[in-house]
């Protein structure tokens, strides 16, 4: 009973019913954009339970790791990236496919839960992620942007299967260029589209540091190399 009351207070504290934008991103992701007007204090690395007010799922809540959007026109919005699974996320994905990939739904946001990991005390901070797992760590990397000037080395490595991932994460990744030691590894589908590096080079956008790899990157060798090179203590987050 007390638990439910606390949940209700957290939902109410975030403004109750909120209109959110749902969009398909890439082949299997839904991007949920939630205006950040009345939300409670957000901490990088935290998670929320999301209730989507559709007839097929309003009674369920699911955990997601939000981040603050850097996309033009949506800056500052609370954003979730949800991978299509087999339950409500599949229903939502199918509904979006049937409505040109975009829709508005009312949502309830319960949270924030979790905490920001205490990485700032380390000399080298290594953040590794793959695919849509970036949502859980991007907000933490973004919060470490002022550490380089203090001599902390922040390394961010992201492994994706194909270049379509660059479409939905471009603005966020651009915001990390030059701030953290960023590298993106694309393991498949390299010849299917024009090179993202070339695409960016012809626009005014910064060129993302992309490494094309026909094999899976050797994460064990990375970890060993980073530990050998590091001066002082090293933290890994993945
Ligand atoms: C702290 C946390 C943060 C997360 N952040 C993200 C994120 O940012 N992006 C993302 O795509 N996914 C995230 N997930 C996973 C996400 O919650 C599930 O993918 C989602 O609940 C699947 O819903 P579904 O009904 O389509 O799942 P189903 O197809 O029914 O299940 C798919 C998988 O999700 C798990 N799952 C289903 N319901 C829940 C639930 N209520 N709580 C926990 N796990 C559940 C199942 O055990 C199964 O492994 C996170 C999970 C946790 C625990």
């Amino acid at each position: 009973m007390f638990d439910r009351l606390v949940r209700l207070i957290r939902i109410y504290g975030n403004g109750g019913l909120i209109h959110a934008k749902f969009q398909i991103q890439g082949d299997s992701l839904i991007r949920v954009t939630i205006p950040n007007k009345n939300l409670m204090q957000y901490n990088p690395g935290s998670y929320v339970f999301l209730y989507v007010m559709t007839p097929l799922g309003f009674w369920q809540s699911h955990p997601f790791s939000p981040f603050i959007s850097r996309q033009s026109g949506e800056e500052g919005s609370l954003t979730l990236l949800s991978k299509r699974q087999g339950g409500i996320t599949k229903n939502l994905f199918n509904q979006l496919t049937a409505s040109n990939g975009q829709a508005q739904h009312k949502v309830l946001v319960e949270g924030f839960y979790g905490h920001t990991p205490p990485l700032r005390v380390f000399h080298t901070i290594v953040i590794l992620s793959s695919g849509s797992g970036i949502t859980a760590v991007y907000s933490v990397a973004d919060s470490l942007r002022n550490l380089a000037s203090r001599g902390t080395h922040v390394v961010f490595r992201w492994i994706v299967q194909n270049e379509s991932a660059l479409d939905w994460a471009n603005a966020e990744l651009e915001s990390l260029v030059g701030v953290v030691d960023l590298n993106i590894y694309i393991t498949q589908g390299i010849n299917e589209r024009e090179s993202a590096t070339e695409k960016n080079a012809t626009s005014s956008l910064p060129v993302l540091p992309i490494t094309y790899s026909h094999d899976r990157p050797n994460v064990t060798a990375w970890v060993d190399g980073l530990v050998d090179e590091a001066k002082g203590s090293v933290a890994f987050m993945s």
Side-chain angles (χ1 to χ4, degrees), residues 28-30 46-49 60-67 79-91 132-136:
S28 62
L29 285 176
I30 303 170
S46 58
Y47 63 95
V48 295
F49 283 91
Q60 309 176 28
S61 66
H62 290 262
F64 293 99
S65 311
F67 58 92
T79 303
L80 316 174
L81 280 171
S82 166
K83 195 167 167 58
R84 180 187 52 193
Q85 301 283 358
I88 188 169
T89 55
K90 183 178 173 189
N91 290 339
S132 61
I134 193 173
T135 58

Side-chain angles (χ1 to χ4, degrees), residues 133-198:
I134 193 173
T135 58
V137 294
Y138 164 75
S139 61
V140 175
D142 194 41
S143 72
L144 300 173
R145 53 182 49 247
N146 56 353
L147 285 186
S149 57
R150 285 177 17 195
T152 305
H153 186 200
V154 184
V155 178
F156 191 102
R157 299 280 182 269
W158 187 39
I159 306 166
V160 288
Q161 285 189 344
N162 55 54
E163 292 162 4
S164 72
L166 299 172
D167 290 339
W168 51 261
N170 211 8
E172 282 74 30
L173 293 169
E174 277 168 40
S175 77
L176 295 179
V177 173
V179 176
V180 303
D181 172 1
L182 170 71
N183 258 94
I184 305 161
Y185 293 79
I186 299 178
T187 58
Q188 291 172 17
I190 292 161
N191 298 320
E192 287 167 17
R193 294 154 41 113
E194 68 175 312
S195 150
T197 307
E198 285 166 21

Side-chain angles (χ1 to χ4, degrees), residues 56-78:
L56 291 174
F58 66 90
W59 65 92
Q60 309 176 28
S61 66
H62 290 262
F64 293 99
S65 311
F67 58 92
I68 301 298
S69 177
R70 300 269 177 181
Q71 274 205 0
S72 169
E74 290 181 357
E75 295 98 337
S77 304
L78 193 77

